Amino acid sequence: MLATKGYAVMKAKNPLQPFSFERREVGPHDVLIKISHCGICHSDIHQALDEWGGSIFPMVPGHEIIGTVTQVGSAVKQFRVSDRAGVGCFVDSCRTCAACREGLEQYCETGMLLTYSGRDKNGQTTQGGYSTQIVVDEHYVLRIPATLSPAGAAPLLCAGITTYSPLRHWGVGKYHKLAVVGLGGLGHMAVKIATALGTEVTVFSTSEGKRKDAERLGATDFAVTSNPETFTTFHRHFDYILDTVSAPHDYNAYLNLLKTDGTMILVGAPDQPTPLAPFPLILNRRRIAGSVIGGIRETQELLDFCAKHEIESDVEVIPIHQVNEAYERVLKGDVRFRFVIDLNSLA
Ligand code: NAP
Ligand code: ZN
Ligand code: ZN
C-alpha cells in the first residue's frame, strides 16, 4: 500500500484536518499521479457538509486533480512517467453498459465510481485530490495539453466539463442567446466556453460587484437578480439558460425569460427542492433539463478545446492549510473564480 498524506473531513460539518491514509498499489492498468494542484468545487463543500446525503467519512475531497505521472502499471499504454495527467469526478464505471460504451460514463447504469466518497469494487473508500498522490486506471485519466498551466487547468476537470457538456449536447452556439445564472466557478467557465462557441451571453448574478468581471470574461450583458426590472427586461429573450446556482432559488422566474421552445438546463445542485409552476412551461412549450459533468472522451475534447482557445480558469492558488478559510469564502461568494490548492504545500 502507498502511504499518502492529505486533508480530510472526519465527520459531517467538521473542518478539514491533516490525514494520513493508504492508496492501493499500482496495478497493471493503473497510473500513479503525484498531485500538484486540485481545485475546490462547491460540490466538495456540499459533500463535506453531507448536504446531499450519502457522504462517506473520513473524506478527502477534491475532483479537479492535476499532476505528473510517477509510475505506470505493466499494461498501461497511454501514459508514461513524467507525463502531465488529470483526474476529474470519477475513477471507474462498469465499462459494459450502453452509457459506458457510448463514452457517457457519468450516466453508467450501475453508477460511476466517484473520485472520493465512493466505494470501489473491493469495498475500499475512494479518496480525492486534497492529497499528495492518487492511483487511477489509465482509462479514467486525462491528458493535459502542455500550453495550459496546471492551476488554471485543474478546474476544467469539473467546472469546465460540467458547463461544456450541456452546451455541446444542446448545440448552443452562434445565433443563440444564453443566460448564465450564478457567476461562480461553474458560471465563469460557462461564460468563457459559450463565448468561444460564438454564443451571446448574459450573466444573472446576485452580486453587482461581478459586473466588470462578467464583461471581461466575455458576457455582452449583465443583470442583477435583486432588481425586479431584470425579469421584465429579458422576458422571452433567451434560447437557453444554464443555471449554476448552489443554493435553492426560484426557477419559475427564469423560465419566463425563455423564448418558445427554450430550454433551462440545471447544473447547480442545491440540497433543497424548489416548487415548479406548470404555466411557464406549458404556455411556451418550454423545457427544464439537467446535466452532470461529462464523460472521459468529452472531457478530453474540452481540454483540447481550451488549449486551442487559450481558456483557463481564473484561479486563486492557496496552500492547503488555508482550505477551511477558502470553504468559508466560497460560501460567501468571495472568490474570483476558483480556489486551487497547491499540493506542494503538503509535501
Ligand atoms: P460557486 O463557485 O460557489 O458558485 C455558485 C454561485 O451561485 C455563486 O458564485 C453565486 O453567484 C450564486 N449563488 C450562491 N448562493 C446563491 C443564492 N442563495 N441565490 C442565488 N445565487 C446564489 O459554486 P460552483 O463550484 O460553481 O458550483 C455551483 C453548483 O453546481 C453547486 O451546487 C455544485 O455542487 C454544482 N455542481 C454541479 C455539477 C454537475 O455535474 N451538475 C458539477 C459541479 C458542481 P453570484 O454571486 O453571481 O450570484
Ligand atoms: Zn465539482
Ligand atoms: Zn456503465
Side-chain angles (χ1 to χ4, degrees), residues 6 17 25 32 34 72 82 96 171 179 216 235-236 257 306 339:
Q17 63 180 70
E25 292 287 347
L32 174 63
K34 178 180 186 291
V72 296
S82 84
T96 55
R216 178 178 53 77
H235 188 67
R236 298 181 70 165
L257 308 186
C306 288
F339 285 113

Side-chain angles (χ1 to χ4, degrees), residues 144-301:
I144 308 302
T147 53
L148 297 175
S149 78
L156 304 179
L157 293 158
C158 178
I161 184 59
T162 299
T163 50
Y164 181 78
S165 183
L167 294 174
R168 298 295 289 160
H169 177 75
W170 275 280
V172 182
K174 280 187 188 131
Y175 317 116
H176 287 137
K177 290 187 168 69
L178 168 74
V180 171
V181 186
L183 195 62
L186 267 57
H188 95 291
M189 287 313 310
V191 175
K192 290 189 185 207
I193 293 166
T195 301
L197 292 169
T199 311
E200 188 182 308
V201 181
T202 301
V203 168
F204 283 73
S205 175
T206 58
S207 321
E208 173 61 39
K210 293 183 181 173
R211 181 183 291 272
K212 283 224 154 47
D213 293 295
E215 285 168 14
R216 178 178 53 77
L217 296 165
T220 50
D221 227 331
F222 180 90
V224 179
T225 53
S226 57
N227 179 358
E229 277 178 30
T230 290
F231 291 91
T232 47
T233 307
F234 291 98
H235 188 67
R236 298 181 70 165
H237 184 81
F238 297 105
D239 302 284
Y240 294 96
I241 297 172
L242 188 66
D243 187 320
T244 74
V245 173
S246 53
H249 58 290
D250 180 18
Y251 297 141
N252 303 291
Y254 290 100
L255 288 171
N256 286 315
L257 308 186
L258 289 169
K259 297 176 185 171
T260 298
D261 284 328
T263 302
M264 176 159 173
I265 306 156
L266 307 182
V267 286
D271 62 334
Q272 297 298 321
T274 303
L276 206 54
F279 277 103
L281 292 168
I282 290 171
L283 291 178
N284 290 279
R285 201 164 60 188
R286 296 172 174 124
R287 288 169 291 224
I288 189 158
S291 182
V292 74
I293 49 175
I296 294 296
R297 188 167 63 221
E298 195 172 47
T299 306
Q300 191 63 61
E301 182 186 303

